[in-house]
Every structure is written in C-alpha cells, then in structure tokens.
Amino acid sequence: METSQSLFWDYLAPLKPKLYNYILKSLNFSPDADDVFQETVLHGLQYFRSFRRDEIFGAWIFGIAHNEIRTHFKKRRRTESLPEPDKIAASAAGSPGGAVGEVYRYAAQLKPRERDIFFLFYESGFSIAEIADLAKLKEGHIKLILFQARTALKTIMGVTHE
C-alpha cells in the first residue's frame, strides 16, 4: 500500500517543471522562485491529507503556488524597478522562442496579479473557471484581469490600435 507521502511525490513528479516555470515567471525570474517553489512543495506535502481525490491535483498544487506567490509579494513590497526585457530574456533559458517568447518576456513587466493570471492562462493552460477557483475570484474578474494584462502588454510592446 502506498503511503500518502509517496503518493504526493508521484502526483507532483510530472508537474514539477510546469509548476516551477509558473512560479519563476510570476516572480519575474527572481532567484526567490526557488524558495517559493520549495515552500509550495512543503505546504503541498503538509496539507496533502486535505487533498480530495475527486479534485485535480494540478489545480490543487497550482492553487498553493498561487497563494505562495501572493504571500511572497505581500511580505516583500517591491521597491526596486522591474528588470529590463533584455535582462529577463537572458535569464529565461526555458522560455519559448520567437514571437511567443518575446510576449512572455514583456509579460514579466506586468503588475504581479496580471502577470500571475496571464501565465496561469497562457503558459500553464488553466481555464478561466479553474483560475477563478485558484484565485478565489469570480470568472468575470479573471476575464477583466486578462483583458487588462493584454491591454498593458500592447502598451508595453508599443502596439498601436488602428
């Protein structure tokens, strides 16, 4: 019979790279991503007994990551300016290439909440409903945040409306 702890690691194994990338991008490729990832895994392991087997493990663990990212930003009211897109690109070895990679590099300049929702939707592939559940917000609010993120991205990238 499998222990709860080994079951947790079995569930986590295929999601680790995607989870880490989500955290890394949400934190603007900060070295703090390692700590937030570790805290996410530790809290996931600690609260795994509360995980209902009828839920989707990925949504559950990403919800913990989302909360850890929010906690990180609350603890550390950012006073430093955001890194330049070129610096982000240099540190983003795992980022997609081409036009999508360029959009992702610019997305790192979004406000923390917009960036978080943006990467959950576009990079991690969560639906509006799943993100609303993770973020404890209404679906309409998630749609608004995505709209704001896309609008801000257009401005950051210098795209004009014709």
Side-chain angles (χ1 to χ4, degrees):
M1 182 171 196
E2 245 181 328
T3 66
S4 177
Q5 194 173 33
S6 67
L7 188 58
F8 171 81
W9 293 112
D10 289 345
Y11 283 171
L12 182 64
L15 297 173
K16 281 170 75 173
K18 196 173 187 180
L19 181 66
Y20 182 78
N21 282 332
Y22 162 65
I23 292 168
L24 184 66
K25 290 173 183 174
S26 293
L27 296 180
N28 282 326
F29 301 95
S30 165
D32 294 339
D34 292 338
D35 294 334
V36 173
F37 178 76
Q38 237 175 2
E39 287 297 316
T40 299
V41 172
L42 288 173
H43 282 118
L45 189 56
Q46 180 181 1
Y47 296 108
F48 187 63
R49 284 183 233 147
S50 71
F51 171 67
R52 294 189 334 246
R53 301 302 189 261
D54 62 329
E55 292 180 351
I56 298 170
F57 180 78
W60 182 79
I61 196 73
F62 271 80
I64 292 172
H66 174 77
N67 290 337
E68 289 301 320
I69 291 164
R70 289 178 56 200
T71 299
H72 171 79
F73 282 118
K74 283 179 186 174
K75 284 181 183 174
R76 218 181 128 229
R77 295 287 178 206
R78 294 173 51 120
T79 54
E80 74 258 11
S81 63
L82 291 171
E84 296 297 317
D86 294 340
K87 291 180 185 172
I88 293 168
S91 66
S95 290
V100 173
E102 185 175 341
V103 170
Y104 282 4
R105 285 188 290 278
Y106 282 108
Q109 297 179 58
L110 294 171
K111 294 176 186 172
R113 180 180 242 178
E114 290 174 354
R115 182 176 56 247
D116 194 24
I117 301 298
F118 177 88
F119 284 122
L120 276 172
F121 186 74
Y122 289 106
E123 172 73 7
S124 299
F126 283 99
S127 70
I128 299 289
E130 290 169 328
I131 297 169
D133 189 45
L134 289 173
K136 310 266 188 284
L137 297 170
K138 295 184 186 277
E139 289 183 29
H141 196 179
I142 297 300
K143 290 177 184 177
L144 175 64
I145 293 169
L146 280 171
F147 173 78
Q148 291 169 334
R150 287 188 294 264
T151 302
L153 266 176
K154 288 177 186 175
T155 302
I156 291 167
M157 294 176 74
V159 175
T160 57
H161 303 285
E162 294 182 27

